[in-house]
Amino acid sequence: MTKKLRFGIVGCGVIGPFHAQAITSLPDAELVAVADIILERAQELAETFQVTPYSDFQEMLAREQLDVVDICTPSGLHRVQQETGMKMAVISQHRFDPDTVKVHELIEEQAFGRLVLGNALVPWWRSQTYYESGEWRGTWKLDGGGVLMNQSIHSIDLVQWLMGPVKSVIAYTDTLVHRMQTEDVAVAVLRFTNGALGTIAATTGAYPGTGTRVEIYGDKGSAVIEDDHLSYLHLARDDGEGVSPYGATREQRAPSSPGGPSAAQNPAALAIRSHALQIEDMMRAIRENGTPLVDGYAAKHPVEIILGIYESARTHKEVTLS
Ligand SMILES: NC(=O)c1ccc[n+]([C@@H]2O[C@H](COP(=O)([O-])OP(=O)(O)OC[C@H]3O[C@@H](n4cnc5c(N)ncnc54)[C@H](O)[C@@H]3O)[C@@H](O)[C@H]2O)c1
């Protein structure tokens, strides 16, 4: 029987319990300890999952012989993979959503033809109370940015993963609704290295908040992913006679392929599913001495796009990414 990998979590705030659930849903993973500088938070989570609580993560590392450390502390406290010999994965769980993986495979098969346009829309709501719930939220130093760096990074990652690398950006950002250092609204125009164009529009000031949308358009197909669900897919290769020179009729615009399962069927399972899939990918990398799909280098791409957007908004100039 395969030995279970021993996990410890550092940071037991909002997302820590979610990771605990994802880890414990995997048969080959074992959560053994959790740590938080606020001991009561560690104790509460430890009690739920019957593991050992620590207030000092160094002590947890020294005592628990962990195979995997799952870091759920404020973003600015994370450190990037160097020459440590350790493997690192950055959580980008939507890359593991089965519908998104399907679109990625179709793009690799050239099923969309020439890619022309890739858009990400993140019209979310976060209250002022949310930003005041942790001193790090909405700060340059520890959140690294606002709606782009915190809430939209996954959608930006998907657009660049699906469309290909971004060559340059032009953008506006502003802070219109909240008392915070960083932006709560942003729009950016992207030029991809393959010549396609794209947009990012994001805010945490859109009450009450609606779903995320990632749109991929090519001259042989279109796909729309709403949250983690493929709501529209239409490929020329599935059409008998094709569409008229003026495009599809209303009837022809019906999706040629139904989307995946709805979150309504089992919201809790779907909520942790993609995290669990990414944790499994990390376990595979450890067992096979391979590389996780989203290692530190892969995770830099959306960060570089966002930093380019900040620079463009500050300088009012197009920014070319290196
Ligand atoms: N992938 C996603 O969808 C997703 C969703 C939410 C949050 N996140 C990310 O998860 C991270 C945590 O976010 P959150 O909302 O849970 O924050 P949070 O403020 O609710 O929780 C952070 C916890 O870390 C603890 N902490 C701080 N320094 C520590 C240290 N040195 N040792 C041990 N514990 C320490 C704090 O006491 C707190 O309990 C952030 O990077 C955030 O961007 C990702």
Side-chain angles (χ1 to χ4, degrees), residues 124-160:
W124 285 13
W125 171 251
R126 290 289 183 270
S127 66
Q128 186 64 33
T129 314
Y130 161 82
Y131 283 108
E132 288 166 9
S133 69
E135 284 186 0
W136 66 282
R137 296 194 194 281
T139 63
W140 287 113
K141 189 165 175 220
L142 290 178
D143 217 346
V147 62
L148 292 173
M149 194 63 96
N150 187 312
Q151 285 80 18
S152 311
I153 193 161
H154 298 303
S155 308
I156 294 168
D157 184 40
L158 290 191
V159 167
Q160 69 85 32

PDB file of all heavy atoms in Angstrom, residues 124-160:
ATOM      1  N   TRP A 124     -17.091  41.292  -8.827  1.00  0.00           N
ATOM      2  CA  TRP A 124     -17.338  40.773  -7.487  1.00  0.00           C
ATOM      3  C   TRP A 124     -17.663  41.894  -6.514  1.00  0.00           C
ATOM      4  O   TRP A 124     -17.474  43.081  -6.791  1.00  0.00           O
ATOM      5  CB  TRP A 124     -16.097  40.017  -6.973  1.00  0.00           C
ATOM      6  CG  TRP A 124     -15.921  38.675  -7.613  1.00  0.00           C
ATOM      7  CD1 TRP A 124     -16.553  38.190  -8.717  1.00  0.00           C
ATOM      8  CD2 TRP A 124     -15.028  37.642  -7.182  1.00  0.00           C
ATOM      9  NE1 TRP A 124     -16.100  36.909  -9.000  1.00  0.00           N
ATOM     10  CE2 TRP A 124     -15.179  36.558  -8.079  1.00  0.00           C
ATOM     11  CE3 TRP A 124     -14.107  37.520  -6.133  1.00  0.00           C
ATOM     12  CZ2 TRP A 124     -14.434  35.370  -7.950  1.00  0.00           C
ATOM     13  CZ3 TRP A 124     -13.376  36.353  -6.004  1.00  0.00           C
ATOM     14  CH2 TRP A 124     -13.552  35.296  -6.897  1.00  0.00           C
ATOM     15  N   TRP A 125     -18.123  41.479  -5.326  1.00  0.00           N
ATOM     16  CA  TRP A 125     -18.391  42.420  -4.243  1.00  0.00           C
ATOM     17  C   TRP A 125     -17.625  41.988  -3.002  1.00  0.00           C
ATOM     18  O   TRP A 125     -17.647  40.810  -2.614  1.00  0.00           O
ATOM     19  CB  TRP A 125     -19.893  42.462  -3.926  1.00  0.00           C
ATOM     20  CG  TRP A 125     -20.215  43.242  -2.673  1.00  0.00           C
ATOM     21  CD1 TRP A 125     -20.651  42.747  -1.474  1.00  0.00           C
ATOM     22  CD2 TRP A 125     -20.115  44.656  -2.487  1.00  0.00           C
ATOM     23  NE1 TRP A 125     -20.823  43.746  -0.563  1.00  0.00           N
ATOM     24  CE2 TRP A 125     -20.498  44.935  -1.165  1.00  0.00           C
ATOM     25  CE3 TRP A 125     -19.717  45.717  -3.323  1.00  0.00           C
ATOM     26  CZ2 TRP A 125     -20.509  46.229  -0.642  1.00  0.00           C
ATOM     27  CZ3 TRP A 125     -19.727  47.005  -2.797  1.00  0.00           C
ATOM     28  CH2 TRP A 125     -20.126  47.248  -1.473  1.00  0.00           C
ATOM     29  N   ARG A 126     -16.919  42.922  -2.404  1.00  0.00           N
ATOM     30  CA  ARG A 126     -16.334  42.732  -1.073  1.00  0.00           C
ATOM     31  C   ARG A 126     -16.690  43.984  -0.277  1.00  0.00           C
ATOM     32  O   ARG A 126     -16.492  45.106  -0.759  1.00  0.00           O
ATOM     33  CB  ARG A 126     -14.804  42.590  -1.123  1.00  0.00           C
ATOM     34  CG  ARG A 126     -14.315  41.296  -1.750  1.00  0.00           C
ATOM     35  CD  ARG A 126     -14.589  40.092  -0.838  1.00  0.00           C
ATOM     36  NE  ARG A 126     -14.053  38.865  -1.399  1.00  0.00           N
ATOM     37  CZ  ARG A 126     -14.702  38.049  -2.208  1.00  0.00           C
ATOM     38  NH1 ARG A 126     -15.944  38.345  -2.597  1.00  0.00           N
ATOM     39  NH2 ARG A 126     -14.144  36.938  -2.642  1.00  0.00           N
ATOM     40  N   SER A 127     -17.209  43.784   0.931  1.00  0.00           N
ATOM     41  CA  SER A 127     -17.624  44.926   1.754  1.00  0.00           C
ATOM     42  C   SER A 127     -16.403  45.594   2.394  1.00  0.00           C
ATOM     43  O   SER A 127     -15.311  45.016   2.438  1.00  0.00           O
ATOM     44  CB  SER A 127     -18.562  44.434   2.854  1.00  0.00           C
ATOM     45  OG  SER A 127     -17.831  43.600   3.737  1.00  0.00           O
ATOM     46  N   GLN A 128     -16.628  46.780   2.956  1.00  0.00           N
ATOM     47  CA  GLN A 128     -15.553  47.441   3.705  1.00  0.00           C
ATOM     48  C   GLN A 128     -15.151  46.581   4.900  1.00  0.00           C
ATOM     49  O   GLN A 128     -13.980  46.488   5.256  1.00  0.00           O
ATOM     50  CB  GLN A 128     -16.036  48.831   4.165  1.00  0.00           C
ATOM     51  CG  GLN A 128     -14.957  49.662   4.826  1.00  0.00           C
ATOM     52  CD  GLN A 128     -13.797  50.014   3.878  1.00  0.00           C
ATOM     53  OE1 GLN A 128     -13.997  50.193   2.673  1.00  0.00           O
ATOM     54  NE2 GLN A 128     -12.585  50.079   4.406  1.00  0.00           N
ATOM     55  N   THR A 129     -16.151  45.902   5.479  1.00  0.00           N
ATOM     56  CA  THR A 129     -15.869  45.024   6.634  1.00  0.00           C
ATOM     57  C   THR A 129     -14.882  43.928   6.241  1.00  0.00           C
ATOM     58  O   THR A 129     -14.005  43.559   7.013  1.00  0.00           O
ATOM     59  CB  THR A 129     -17.186  44.358   7.112  1.00  0.00           C
ATOM     60  OG1 THR A 129     -18.162  45.373   7.173  1.00  0.00           O
ATOM     61  CG2 THR A 129     -17.038  43.691   8.455  1.00  0.00           C
ATOM     62  N   TYR A 130     -15.043  43.394   5.033  1.00  0.00           N
ATOM     63  CA  TYR A 130     -14.094  42.374   4.556  1.00  0.00           C
ATOM     64  C   TYR A 130     -12.680  42.937   4.583  1.00  0.00           C
ATOM     65  O   TYR A 130     -11.755  42.303   5.095  1.00  0.00           O
ATOM     66  CB  TYR A 130     -14.477  41.918   3.133  1.00  0.00           C
ATOM     67  CG  TYR A 130     -13.333  41.242   2.407  1.00  0.00           C
ATOM     68  CD1 TYR A 130     -13.043  39.901   2.615  1.00  0.00           C
ATOM     69  CD2 TYR A 130     -12.505  41.977   1.532  1.00  0.00           C
ATOM     70  CE1 TYR A 130     -11.965  39.288   1.969  1.00  0.00           C
ATOM     71  CE2 TYR A 130     -11.436  41.371   0.889  1.00  0.00           C
ATOM     72  CZ  TYR A 130     -11.171  40.034   1.115  1.00  0.00           C
ATOM     73  OH  TYR A 130     -10.098  39.444   0.480  1.00  0.00           O
ATOM     74  N   TYR A 131     -12.507  44.149   4.015  1.00  0.00           N
ATOM     75  CA  TYR A 131     -11.144  44.697   3.956  1.00  0.00           C
ATOM     76  C   TYR A 131     -10.599  44.996   5.347  1.00  0.00           C
ATOM     77  O   TYR A 131      -9.389  45.006   5.556  1.00  0.00           O
ATOM     78  CB  TYR A 131     -11.109  45.942   3.063  1.00  0.00           C
ATOM     79  CG  TYR A 131     -11.145  45.556   1.597  1.00  0.00           C
ATOM     80  CD1 TYR A 131     -12.273  45.774   0.813  1.00  0.00           C
ATOM     81  CD2 TYR A 131     -10.054  44.921   1.011  1.00  0.00           C
ATOM     82  CE1 TYR A 131     -12.306  45.381  -0.517  1.00  0.00           C
ATOM     83  CE2 TYR A 131     -10.078  44.514  -0.314  1.00  0.00           C
ATOM     84  CZ  TYR A 131     -11.205  44.752  -1.075  1.00  0.00           C
ATOM     85  OH  TYR A 131     -11.227  44.340  -2.389  1.00  0.00           O
ATOM     86  N   GLU A 132     -11.507  45.238   6.299  1.00  0.00           N
ATOM     87  CA  GLU A 132     -11.040  45.537   7.659  1.00  0.00           C
ATOM     88  C   GLU A 132     -10.905  44.273   8.510  1.00  0.00           C
ATOM     89  O   GLU A 132     -10.494  44.344   9.669  1.00  0.00           O
ATOM     90  CB  GLU A 132     -12.002  46.546   8.315  1.00  0.00           C
ATOM     91  CG  GLU A 132     -11.816  47.930   7.684  1.00  0.00           C
ATOM     92  CD  GLU A 132     -12.922  48.918   8.004  1.00  0.00           C
ATOM     93  OE1 GLU A 132     -13.770  48.594   8.862  1.00  0.00           O
ATOM     94  OE2 GLU A 132     -12.935  50.000   7.380  1.00  0.00           O
ATOM     95  N   SER A 133     -11.236  43.098   7.918  1.00  0.00           N
ATOM     96  CA  SER A 133     -11.187  41.855   8.706  1.00  0.00           C
ATOM     97  C   SER A 133      -9.764  41.330   8.886  1.00  0.00           C
ATOM     98  O   SER A 133      -9.534  40.401   9.657  1.00  0.00           O
ATOM     99  CB  SER A 133     -12.049  40.779   8.047  1.00  0.00           C
ATOM    100  OG  SER A 133     -11.448  40.359   6.828  1.00  0.00           O
ATOM    101  N   GLY A 134      -8.810  41.881   8.175  1.00  0.00           N
ATOM    102  CA  GLY A 134      -7.403  41.493   8.356  1.00  0.00           C
ATOM    103  C   GLY A 134      -6.564  42.689   7.957  1.00  0.00           C
ATOM    104  O   GLY A 134      -6.832  43.296   6.917  1.00  0.00           O
ATOM    105  N   GLU A 135      -5.560  43.029   8.764  1.00  0.00           N
ATOM    106  CA  GLU A 135      -4.792  44.258   8.494  1.00  0.00           C
ATOM    107  C   GLU A 135      -4.053  44.190   7.160  1.00  0.00           C
ATOM    108  O   GLU A 135      -3.688  45.199   6.590  1.00  0.00           O
ATOM    109  CB  GLU A 135      -3.786  44.496   9.623  1.00  0.00           C
ATOM    110  CG  GLU A 135      -4.471  45.033  10.863  1.00  0.00           C
ATOM    111  CD  GLU A 135      -3.485  45.403  11.947  1.00  0.00           C
ATOM    112  OE1 GLU A 135      -2.270  45.246  11.728  1.00  0.00           O
ATOM    113  OE2 GLU A 135      -3.961  45.839  13.011  1.00  0.00           O
ATOM    114  N   TRP A 136      -3.837  42.961   6.679  1.00  0.00           N
ATOM    115  CA  TRP A 136      -3.077  42.805   5.442  1.00  0.00           C
ATOM    116  C   TRP A 136      -3.921  43.040   4.201  1.00  0.00           C
ATOM    117  O   TRP A 136      -3.403  43.350   3.137  1.00  0.00           O
ATOM    118  CB  TRP A 136      -2.473  41.402   5.392  1.00  0.00           C
ATOM    119  CG  TRP A 136      -3.471  40.269   5.291  1.00  0.00           C
ATOM    120  CD1 TRP A 136      -4.232  39.743   6.298  1.00  0.00           C
ATOM    121  CD2 TRP A 136      -3.809  39.528   4.120  1.00  0.00           C
ATOM    122  NE1 TRP A 136      -5.018  38.724   5.824  1.00  0.00           N
ATOM    123  CE2 TRP A 136      -4.761  38.558   4.491  1.00  0.00           C
ATOM    124  CE3 TRP A 136      -3.382  39.578   2.792  1.00  0.00           C
ATOM    125  CZ2 TRP A 136      -5.314  37.655   3.575  1.00  0.00           C
ATOM    126  CZ3 TRP A 136      -3.919  38.680   1.888  1.00  0.00           C
ATOM    127  CH2 TRP A 136      -4.882  37.729   2.277  1.00  0.00           C
ATOM    128  N   ARG A 137      -5.263  42.953   4.336  1.00  0.00           N
ATOM    129  CA  ARG A 137      -6.122  42.997   3.149  1.00  0.00           C
ATOM    130  C   ARG A 137      -6.107  44.393   2.515  1.00  0.00           C
ATOM    131  O   ARG A 137      -6.182  45.395   3.203  1.00  0.00           O
ATOM    132  CB  ARG A 137      -7.557  42.626   3.514  1.00  0.00           C
ATOM    133  CG  ARG A 137      -7.700  41.190   4.004  1.00  0.00           C
ATOM    134  CD  ARG A 137      -9.156  40.755   4.034  1.00  0.00           C
ATOM    135  NE  ARG A 137      -9.340  39.530   4.809  1.00  0.00           N
ATOM    136  CZ  ARG A 137      -9.068  38.304   4.349  1.00  0.00           C
ATOM    137  NH1 ARG A 137      -8.615  38.138   3.131  1.00  0.00           N
ATOM    138  NH2 ARG A 137      -9.263  37.247   5.119  1.00  0.00           N
ATOM    139  N   GLY A 138      -5.986  44.408   1.194  1.00  0.00           N
ATOM    140  CA  GLY A 138      -6.023  45.683   0.464  1.00  0.00           C
ATOM    141  C   GLY A 138      -4.769  46.519   0.634  1.00  0.00           C
ATOM    142  O   GLY A 138      -4.781  47.707   0.313  1.00  0.00           O
ATOM    143  N   THR A 139      -3.661  45.915   1.116  1.00  0.00           N
ATOM    144  CA  THR A 139      -2.406  46.665   1.267  1.00  0.00           C
ATOM    145  C   THR A 139      -1.424  46.246   0.174  1.00  0.00           C
ATOM    146  O   THR A 139      -1.449  45.111  -0.302  1.00  0.00           O
ATOM    147  CB  THR A 139      -1.744  46.393   2.637  1.00  0.00           C
ATOM    148  OG1 THR A 139      -1.396  45.008   2.717  1.00  0.00           O
ATOM    149  CG2 THR A 139      -2.677  46.763   3.788  1.00  0.00           C
ATOM    150  N   TRP A 140      -0.550  47.187  -0.194  1.00  0.00           N
ATOM    151  CA  TRP A 140       0.484  46.859  -1.182  1.00  0.00           C
ATOM    152  C   TRP A 140       1.464  45.864  -0.604  1.00  0.00           C
ATOM    153  O   TRP A 140       1.896  44.931  -1.274  1.00  0.00           O
ATOM    154  CB  TRP A 140       1.226  48.125  -1.626  1.00  0.00           C
ATOM    155  CG  TRP A 140       0.394  48.985  -2.522  1.00  0.00           C
ATOM    156  CD1 TRP A 140      -0.105  50.221  -2.238  1.00  0.00           C
ATOM    157  CD2 TRP A 140      -0.060  48.666  -3.845  1.00  0.00           C
ATOM    158  NE1 TRP A 140      -0.840  50.694  -3.300  1.00  0.00           N
ATOM    159  CE2 TRP A 140      -0.825  49.763  -4.309  1.00  0.00           C
ATOM    160  CE3 TRP A 140       0.093  47.567  -4.689  1.00  0.00           C
ATOM    161  CZ2 TRP A 140      -1.430  49.788  -5.566  1.00  0.00           C
ATOM    162  CZ3 TRP A 140      -0.493  47.586  -5.944  1.00  0.00           C
ATOM    163  CH2 TRP A 140      -1.251  48.687  -6.379  1.00  0.00           C
ATOM    164  N   LYS A 141       1.807  46.052   0.675  1.00  0.00           N
ATOM    165  CA  LYS A 141       2.893  45.247   1.235  1.00  0.00           C
ATOM    166  C   LYS A 141       2.498  43.774   1.382  1.00  0.00           C
ATOM    167  O   LYS A 141       3.266  42.886   1.026  1.00  0.00           O
ATOM    168  CB  LYS A 141       3.269  45.830   2.611  1.00  0.00           C
ATOM    169  CG  LYS A 141       4.505  45.209   3.157  1.00  0.00           C
ATOM    170  CD  LYS A 141       5.090  45.999   4.304  1.00  0.00           C
ATOM    171  CE  LYS A 141       6.278  45.229   4.863  1.00  0.00           C
ATOM    172  NZ  LYS A 141       6.341  45.275   6.290  1.00  0.00           N
ATOM    173  N   LEU A 142       1.309  43.503   1.904  1.00  0.00           N
ATOM    174  CA  LEU A 142       0.981  42.112   2.244  1.00  0.00           C
ATOM    175  C   LEU A 142      -0.081  41.468   1.352  1.00  0.00           C
ATOM    176  O   LEU A 142      -0.183  40.248   1.301  1.00  0.00           O
ATOM    177  CB  LEU A 142       0.556  42.019   3.709  1.00  0.00           C
ATOM    178  CG  LEU A 142       1.701  42.242   4.704  1.00  0.00           C
ATOM    179  CD1 LEU A 142       1.199  42.195   6.136  1.00  0.00           C
ATOM    180  CD2 LEU A 142       2.805  41.207   4.517  1.00  0.00           C
ATOM    181  N   ASP A 143      -0.892  42.280   0.643  1.00  0.00           N
ATOM    182  CA  ASP A 143      -1.848  41.702  -0.314  1.00  0.00           C
ATOM    183  C   ASP A 143      -1.252  41.800  -1.723  1.00  0.00           C
ATOM    184  O   ASP A 143      -1.727  41.139  -2.651  1.00  0.00           O
ATOM    185  CB  ASP A 143      -3.190  42.460  -0.251  1.00  0.00           C
ATOM    186  CG  ASP A 143      -4.390  41.535  -0.426  1.00  0.00           C
ATOM    187  OD1 ASP A 143      -4.186  40.391  -0.858  1.00  0.00           O
ATOM    188  OD2 ASP A 143      -5.527  41.960  -0.140  1.00  0.00           O
ATOM    189  N   GLY A 144      -0.260  42.651  -1.871  1.00  0.00           N
ATOM    190  CA  GLY A 144       0.443  42.787  -3.157  1.00  0.00           C
ATOM    191  C   GLY A 144      -0.339  43.572  -4.197  1.00  0.00           C
ATOM    192  O   GLY A 144       0.135  43.804  -5.300  1.00  0.00           O
ATOM    193  N   GLY A 145      -1.571  43.985  -3.865  1.00  0.00           N
ATOM    194  CA  GLY A 145      -2.434  44.697  -4.798  1.00  0.00           C
ATOM    195  C   GLY A 145      -3.872  44.564  -4.328  1.00  0.00           C
ATOM    196  O   GLY A 145      -4.118  44.128  -3.192  1.00  0.00           O
ATOM    197  N   GLY A 146      -4.808  44.909  -5.208  1.00  0.00           N
ATOM    198  CA  GLY A 146      -6.216  44.862  -4.818  1.00  0.00           C
ATOM    199  C   GLY A 146      -6.965  43.785  -5.575  1.00  0.00           C
ATOM    200  O   GLY A 146      -6.564  42.614  -5.572  1.00  0.00           O
ATOM    201  N   VAL A 147      -8.022  44.184  -6.288  1.00  0.00           N
ATOM    202  CA  VAL A 147      -8.890  43.200  -6.941  1.00  0.00           C
ATOM    203  C   VAL A 147      -8.128  42.370  -7.983  1.00  0.00           C
ATOM    204  O   VAL A 147      -8.461  41.206  -8.210  1.00  0.00           O
ATOM    205  CB  VAL A 147     -10.130  43.886  -7.559  1.00  0.00           C
ATOM    206  CG1 VAL A 147      -9.740  44.887  -8.649  1.00  0.00           C
ATOM    207  CG2 VAL A 147     -11.087  42.849  -8.128  1.00  0.00           C
ATOM    208  N   LEU A 148      -7.101  42.937  -8.580  1.00  0.00           N
ATOM    209  CA  LEU A 148      -6.346  42.152  -9.573  1.00  0.00           C
ATOM    210  C   LEU A 148      -5.503  41.087  -8.891  1.00  0.00           C
ATOM    211  O   LEU A 148      -5.577  39.905  -9.232  1.00  0.00           O
ATOM    212  CB  LEU A 148      -5.446  43.075 -10.400  1.00  0.00           C
ATOM    213  CG  LEU A 148      -6.163  44.037 -11.338  1.00  0.00           C
ATOM    214  CD1 LEU A 148      -5.162  45.002 -11.956  1.00  0.00           C
ATOM    215  CD2 LEU A 148      -6.917  43.294 -12.428  1.00  0.00           C
ATOM    216  N   MET A 149      -4.695  41.507  -7.921  1.00  0.00           N
ATOM    217  CA  MET A 149      -3.726  40.572  -7.343  1.00  0.00           C
ATOM    218  C   MET A 149      -4.407  39.553  -6.432  1.00  0.00           C
ATOM    219  O   MET A 149      -3.979  38.409  -6.345  1.00  0.00           O
ATOM    220  CB  MET A 149      -2.665  41.358  -6.561  1.00  0.00           C
ATOM    221  CG  MET A 149      -1.449  40.561  -6.209  1.00  0.00           C
ATOM    222  SD  MET A 149      -0.545  40.002  -7.684  1.00  0.00           S
ATOM    223  CE  MET A 149       0.705  41.275  -7.859  1.00  0.00           C
ATOM    224  N   ASN A 150      -5.475  39.968  -5.739  1.00  0.00           N
ATOM    225  CA  ASN A 150      -6.114  39.019  -4.822  1.00  0.00           C
ATOM    226  C   ASN A 150      -7.234  38.240  -5.527  1.00  0.00           C
ATOM    227  O   ASN A 150      -7.125  37.042  -5.739  1.00  0.00           O
ATOM    228  CB  ASN A 150      -6.646  39.754  -3.593  1.00  0.00           C
ATOM    229  CG  ASN A 150      -7.165  38.787  -2.543  1.00  0.00           C
ATOM    230  OD1 ASN A 150      -7.926  37.878  -2.860  1.00  0.00           O
ATOM    231  ND2 ASN A 150      -6.766  38.954  -1.294  1.00  0.00           N
ATOM    232  N   GLN A 151      -8.303  38.939  -5.903  1.00  0.00           N
ATOM    233  CA  GLN A 151      -9.491  38.207  -6.378  1.00  0.00           C
ATOM    234  C   GLN A 151      -9.397  37.722  -7.824  1.00  0.00           C
ATOM    235  O   GLN A 151     -10.006  36.712  -8.178  1.00  0.00           O
ATOM    236  CB  GLN A 151     -10.747  39.089  -6.227  1.00  0.00           C
ATOM    237  CG  GLN A 151     -11.243  39.217  -4.804  1.00  0.00           C
ATOM    238  CD  GLN A 151     -10.462  40.217  -3.979  1.00  0.00           C
ATOM    239  OE1 GLN A 151      -9.762  41.065  -4.512  1.00  0.00           O
ATOM    240  NE2 GLN A 151     -10.571  40.128  -2.657  1.00  0.00           N
ATOM    241  N   SER A 152      -8.669  38.448  -8.695  1.00  0.00           N
ATOM    242  CA  SER A 152      -8.744  38.130 -10.131  1.00  0.00           C
ATOM    243  C   SER A 152      -7.581  37.316 -10.650  1.00  0.00           C
ATOM    244  O   SER A 152      -7.558  36.958 -11.836  1.00  0.00           O
ATOM    245  CB  SER A 152      -8.813  39.422 -10.956  1.00  0.00           C
ATOM    246  OG  SER A 152      -9.783  40.274 -10.437  1.00  0.00           O
ATOM    247  N   ILE A 153      -6.603  37.024  -9.805  1.00  0.00           N
ATOM    248  CA  ILE A 153      -5.383  36.396 -10.322  1.00  0.00           C
ATOM    249  C   ILE A 153      -5.680  35.046 -10.978  1.00  0.00           C
ATOM    250  O   ILE A 153      -5.055  34.676 -11.972  1.00  0.00           O
ATOM    251  CB  ILE A 153      -4.304  36.299  -9.218  1.00  0.00           C
ATOM    252  CG1 ILE A 153      -2.957  35.939  -9.854  1.00  0.00           C
ATOM    253  CG2 ILE A 153      -4.697  35.322  -8.111  1.00  0.00           C
ATOM    254  CD1 ILE A 153      -1.764  36.250  -8.981  1.00  0.00           C
ATOM    255  N   HIS A 154      -6.697  34.336 -10.461  1.00  0.00           N
ATOM    256  CA  HIS A 154      -6.992  33.026 -11.048  1.00  0.00           C
ATOM    257  C   HIS A 154      -7.552  33.170 -12.469  1.00  0.00           C
ATOM    258  O   HIS A 154      -7.198  32.409 -13.361  1.00  0.00           O
ATOM    259  CB  HIS A 154      -7.993  32.260 -10.180  1.00  0.00           C
ATOM    260  CG  HIS A 154      -7.466  31.989  -8.802  1.00  0.00           C
ATOM    261  ND1 HIS A 154      -6.313  31.316  -8.584  1.00  0.00           N
ATOM    262  CD2 HIS A 154      -7.929  32.326  -7.580  1.00  0.00           C
ATOM    263  CE1 HIS A 154      -6.076  31.228  -7.290  1.00  0.00           C
ATOM    264  NE2 HIS A 154      -7.049  31.850  -6.647  1.00  0.00           N
ATOM    265  N   SER A 155      -8.440  34.151 -12.663  1.00  0.00           N
ATOM    266  CA  SER A 155      -9.027  34.344 -14.001  1.00  0.00           C
ATOM    267  C   SER A 155      -7.957  34.830 -14.977  1.00  0.00           C
ATOM    268  O   SER A 155      -7.938  34.428 -16.150  1.00  0.00           O
ATOM    269  CB  SER A 155     -10.169  35.355 -13.949  1.00  0.00           C
ATOM    270  OG  SER A 155     -11.070  34.979 -12.954  1.00  0.00           O
ATOM    271  N   ILE A 156      -7.058  35.696 -14.490  1.00  0.00           N
ATOM    272  CA  ILE A 156      -5.976  36.188 -15.345  1.00  0.00           C
ATOM    273  C   ILE A 156      -5.051  35.019 -15.701  1.00  0.00           C
ATOM    274  O   ILE A 156      -4.602  34.878 -16.836  1.00  0.00           O
ATOM    275  CB  ILE A 156      -5.229  37.341 -14.632  1.00  0.00           C
ATOM    276  CG1 ILE A 156      -6.180  38.533 -14.474  1.00  0.00           C
ATOM    277  CG2 ILE A 156      -3.955  37.733 -15.383  1.00  0.00           C
ATOM    278  CD1 ILE A 156      -5.693  39.624 -13.559  1.00  0.00           C
ATOM    279  N   ASP A 157      -4.822  34.159 -14.722  1.00  0.00           N
ATOM    280  CA  ASP A 157      -3.991  32.972 -14.991  1.00  0.00           C
ATOM    281  C   ASP A 157      -4.648  32.095 -16.057  1.00  0.00           C
ATOM    282  O   ASP A 157      -3.978  31.600 -16.970  1.00  0.00           O
ATOM    283  CB  ASP A 157      -3.794  32.182 -13.686  1.00  0.00           C
ATOM    284  CG  ASP A 157      -2.868  30.994 -13.902  1.00  0.00           C
ATOM    285  OD1 ASP A 157      -1.870  31.145 -14.633  1.00  0.00           O
ATOM    286  OD2 ASP A 157      -3.145  29.913 -13.352  1.00  0.00           O
ATOM    287  N   LEU A 158      -5.970  31.922 -15.955  1.00  0.00           N
ATOM    288  CA  LEU A 158      -6.650  31.070 -16.951  1.00  0.00           C
ATOM    289  C   LEU A 158      -6.556  31.669 -18.346  1.00  0.00           C
ATOM    290  O   LEU A 158      -6.292  30.955 -19.318  1.00  0.00           O
ATOM    291  CB  LEU A 158      -8.129  30.887 -16.588  1.00  0.00           C
ATOM    292  CG  LEU A 158      -8.429  30.034 -15.357  1.00  0.00           C
ATOM    293  CD1 LEU A 158      -9.911  29.716 -15.294  1.00  0.00           C
ATOM    294  CD2 LEU A 158      -7.606  28.769 -15.355  1.00  0.00           C
ATOM    295  N   VAL A 159      -6.774  32.984 -18.458  1.00  0.00           N
ATOM    296  CA  VAL A 159      -6.724  33.613 -19.787  1.00  0.00           C
ATOM    297  C   VAL A 159      -5.341  33.419 -20.404  1.00  0.00           C
ATOM    298  O   VAL A 159      -5.216  33.052 -21.574  1.00  0.00           O
ATOM    299  CB  VAL A 159      -7.092  35.115 -19.697  1.00  0.00           C
ATOM    300  CG1 VAL A 159      -6.741  35.824 -20.987  1.00  0.00           C
ATOM    301  CG2 VAL A 159      -8.581  35.279 -19.445  1.00  0.00           C
ATOM    302  N   GLN A 160      -4.272  33.621 -19.607  1.00  0.00           N
ATOM    303  CA  GLN A 160      -2.938  33.478 -20.206  1.00  0.00           C
ATOM    304  C   GLN A 160      -2.576  32.012 -20.429  1.00  0.00           C
ATOM    305  O   GLN A 160      -1.833  31.680 -21.334  1.00  0.00           O
ATOM    306  CB  GLN A 160      -1.877  34.236 -19.399  1.00  0.00           C
ATOM    307  CG  GLN A 160      -1.544  33.696 -18.028  1.00  0.00           C
ATOM    308  CD  GLN A 160      -0.493  32.594 -18.048  1.00  0.00           C
ATOM    309  OE1 GLN A 160       0.385  32.596 -18.900  1.00  0.00           O
ATOM    310  NE2 GLN A 160      -0.600  31.655 -17.113  1.00  0.00           N
TER     311      GLN A 160
END
